Amino acid sequence: MRRLRLVKDDTSFDFFKHWKMWLGISGVMILLALASFGLRGLNYGIDFRGGTTIRTESAQTVDVGAYRDAMSALGLGDTVISEVFDPSFGPDKNVAMVRIQAQDDQEAVTPETIAAVEAALQGVSPDIRFISVESVGPKVSGELIWTAFLAVGLSILAVLVYIWLRFEWQFALGAVLALVHDVVLTIGVFSEVQIRFDLAIIAALLTIVGYSLNDTVVVFDRVRENLVKYKKRPLKEVLNLSINETLSRTIMTSLTTMLALVALYVLGGDVIRGFVFAMIWGVFVGTYSSIFVASAILLWLGVKRDWTKPEAETEAAPGGAKV
């Protein structure tokens, strides 16, 4: 049986022929992302702007699309509607969560607004009942923004310490700058296209950090092995060899992940579309940064060639072995 091969075993692409240009492009993209964030800001969702969550219950099956159409006529701004699933619910217990953004910086929506929402939804499901109404004020939302970005910052700091302990400081700096590159560009895209930015996107950012780090560590592990194996080769050749050796794994992982994400984006509905969009962009930019940012920075900084245990040097076969 023949194996599917996306990349030949003897690949020898020169990824660092124009490495300064790639770093320059990444630098310009980061500046554009920061400029977009400063000028346009983010389209914060209810989690970060405050609002009211209404829990509804009805015997009729929840039709999220019909609920959304009924709510759109009220002009309440950002509204998120999702069905709640629980194995303990009976067939006549259909629960939904309706989340409405804060109106004119008020702590909660007015009774008149709730009455209007109830009337609109009763047109879709006459037996609908409002079980609970909970509000998140602007102060709590501001705290959520701070803690969310703090979580992303601390995760990147933890990565810096981890890579520094596992490799050397040059590896750590390259990996962390690649992660900052991925996060900033993702925030820049959300700022430019004004997709709703909520806690689900923060979860996506943390997932992107993990995905990009995993890809970078795979490359760096092979770089470290080849630095031991080929002590007399220039660092540029060692980096090129290492990336070519792991290229098959990188492409296969990215493509299979993309297949699942595209399916979720098309079929998953509006509730998770922002999260999936962030992940699709993150997989693309994370794969790019592990090669053209993290490894290019490592080439720029250089690596001590005497930090590993001495081993007998052997000649490299073209392309090397695959992961």
Side-chain angles (χ1 to χ4, degrees):
M1 181 181 294
R2 297 183 61 184
R3 282 195 308 162
L4 174 65
R5 294 182 182 275
L6 297 178
V7 180
K8 295 181 179 179
D9 288 335
D10 57 348
T11 57
S12 56
F13 299 115
D14 186 356
F15 292 98
F16 299 98
K17 185 177 182 180
H18 304 292
W19 66 274
K20 292 182 180 179
M21 180 189 73
W22 293 118
L23 283 182
I25 291 174
S26 294
V28 171
M29 291 174 65
I30 288 175
L31 291 177
L32 291 175
L34 292 174
S36 178
F37 177 74
L39 295 174
R40 296 170 59 87
L42 293 170
N43 179 21
Y44 290 114
I46 296 172
D47 296 325
F48 297 140
R49 284 192 299 187
T52 297
T53 300
I54 303 172
R55 184 182 178 97
T56 70
E57 183 179 313
S58 67
Q60 185 176 326
T61 302
V62 175
D63 187 338
V64 174
Y67 280 27
R68 186 177 294 113
D69 291 340
M71 294 284 294
S72 62
L74 300 178
L76 298 177
D78 187 15
T79 303
V80 179
I81 302 171
S82 58
E83 186 174 1
V84 178
F85 296 96
D86 192 311
S88 64
F89 291 167
D92 60 342
K93 188 176 183 181
N94 299 282
V95 179
M97 302 295 289
V98 180
R99 307 173 71 190
I100 307 168
Q101 74 174 50
Q103 306 295 307
D104 300 324
D105 296 326
Q106 297 296 316
E107 185 75 16
V109 297
T110 63
E112 291 78 11
T113 301
I114 295 177
V117 171
E118 184 173 5
L121 295 181
Q122 281 177 341
V124 179
S125 179
D127 67 334
I128 194 169
R129 295 182 295 120
F130 282 49
I131 304 302
S132 63
V133 179
E134 298 176 353
S135 297
V136 176
K139 181 179 179 181
V140 175
S141 298
E143 293 175 354
L144 281 176
I145 295 175
W146 164 247
T147 54
F149 282 100
L150 181 63
V152 176
L154 289 177
S155 68
I156 294 177
L157 180 61
V159 167
L160 173 65
V161 175
Y162 166 73
I163 299 294
W164 198 326
L165 293 175
R166 180 167 178 177
F167 298 98
E168 288 285 311
W169 69 268
Q170 296 95 330
F171 289 86
L173 190 57
V176 166
L177 289 179
L179 296 183
V180 171
H181 166 274
D182 299 344
V183 171
V184 170
L185 290 192
T186 302
I187 292 176
V189 166
F190 271 79
S191 171
E192 189 61 32
V193 299
Q194 290 294 292
I195 297 177
R196 186 174 60 242
F197 193 91
D198 51 25
L199 286 177
I201 308 306
I202 297 298
L205 288 177
L206 293 173
T207 307
I208 291 169
V209 167
Y211 182 92
S212 180
L213 174 64
N214 177 69
D215 210 22
T216 302
V217 167
V218 168
V219 174
F220 280 0
D221 263 331
R222 186 55 59 91
V223 170
R224 182 170 60 175
E225 293 173 7
N226 286 332
L227 283 173
V228 175
K229 193 175 182 181
Y230 310 114
K231 292 184 174 64
K232 295 181 181 179
R233 287 195 170 196
L235 179 58
K236 180 179 177 181
E237 290 186 16
V238 174
L239 288 170
N240 261 323
L241 176 64
S242 303
I243 294 173
N244 277 285
E245 288 178 342
T246 57
L247 189 60
S248 178
R249 177 261 175 207
T250 297
I251 293 178
M252 182 66 76
T253 302
S254 298
L255 283 181
T256 52
T257 305
M258 280 290 193
L259 287 174
L261 290 173
V262 169
L264 281 174
Y265 186 82
V266 174
L267 304 174
D270 184 67
V271 175
I272 64 170
R273 190 155 288 154
F275 173 86
V276 178
F277 174 82
M279 286 300 304
I280 291 174
W281 170 258
V283 169
F284 170 76
V285 77
T287 303
Y288 164 86
S289 68
S290 65
I291 297 174
F292 295 105
V293 177
S295 299
I297 289 174
L298 186 59
L299 175 62
W300 180 32
L301 295 175
V303 181
K304 293 188 298 181
R305 305 303 293 270
D306 58 347
W307 60 273
T308 54
K309 183 173 65 176
E311 292 186 11
E313 179 154 356
T314 58
E315 288 300 321
K322 293 287 181 184
V323 171

